[in-house]
Amino acid sequence: GAVVSQHPSWVICKSGTSVKIECRSLDFQATTMFWYRQFPKQSLMLMATSNEGSKATYEQGVEKDKFLINHASLTLSTLTVTSAHPEDSSFYICSTVSGKETQYFGPGTRLLVL
Amino acid sequence: AQSVTQPDIHITVSEGASLELRCNYSYGATPYLFWYVQSPGQGLQLLLKYFSGDTLVQGIKGFEAEFKRSQSSFNLRKPSVHWSDAAEYFCAVHTGTASKLTFGTGTRLQVTL
């Protein structure tokens, strides 16, 4: 399967600051990546679809101005949480699609906003 | 709209015992189905997938799953559970739209020694 990395693995920031999370596809070129968030003991919630060279597609209820997604290359997508607040604290996971419609996930980034 | 149901929130089994995790889906066409496993604080690892063909699929770590169209089910099984199998298990269905996945709520597996 595909290998996906995320950086950082965890981050603590102050309320009001912005945080950038990177998602890298290490062994193939990914035209599409997905961003999820996961609250404790809950399932994954799709936030947006990141498309290389074009604007991301956001799911209903996800604020595009708060969660900025950039997919500038075939191996890198970034998620920036702008003006973070404590309610943004969560586990953020990215994935890529490889082969026949199969998603491979990164290890996740835990964000804690104080 | 498609949906995935995992009826069991939490299951406890003894090491060496057999395991079956249930998954039911609602989808109009023949779905693409997946099982993922997530260890605490980690991302998701693909266990197995079903697209077509043989309805019994083999995955990694000794897991298998059987697609039953008549029951709209895709249950995950393992004949003998190991303590290292303790984790959260997610069933997912491919929606057919832009490769998106719909996930079930997950089943937390606890293994007792």
Side-chain angles (χ1 to χ4, degrees), chain A residues 27-108:
Chain A
D27 56 355
F28 78 103
Q29 296 180 328
T31 57
T32 300
M33 293 184 177
F34 297 94
W35 286 97
Y36 297 83
R37 66 185 300 181
Q38 184 182 32
F39 292 106
K41 299 185 179 182
Q42 294 189 23
S43 188
L44 280 73
M45 183 193 80
L46 178 64
M47 299 175 65
T49 304
S50 172
N51 303 297
E52 188 269 336
S54 63
K55 291 182 179 180
T57 304
Y58 290 82
E59 296 300 301
Q60 190 173 9
V62 178
E63 300 175 59
K64 61 180 65 177
D65 293 331
K66 180 167 187 61
F67 298 100
L68 300 179
I69 291 173
N70 184 281
H71 194 156
S73 78
L74 288 172
T75 59
L76 174 65
S77 174
T78 60
L79 168 68
T80 300
V81 183
T82 63
S83 186
H85 288 91
E87 58 265 32
D88 299 323
S89 298
S90 189
F91 193 55
Y92 292 87
I93 309 175
C94 69
S95 71
T96 64
V97 179
S98 176
K100 194 175 180 182
E101 307 292 354
T102 301
Q103 287 191 30
Y104 294 91
F105 289 82

Side-chain angles (χ1 to χ4, degrees), chain B residues 5 12-13 15-16 19-20 23 28 31-32 34 47 51 62 65-66 82 84 94 96 99 102 105-106 108 111:
Chain B
T5 302
T12 300
V13 298
E15 187 175 42
L19 171 70
E20 181 169 28
C23 173
Y32 292 173
F34 305 83
L47 285 176
F51 290 157
E66 186 171 12
H82 189 264
S84 60
H94 183 281
S99 303
T102 296
T105 50
R108 181 168 298 276
V111 180

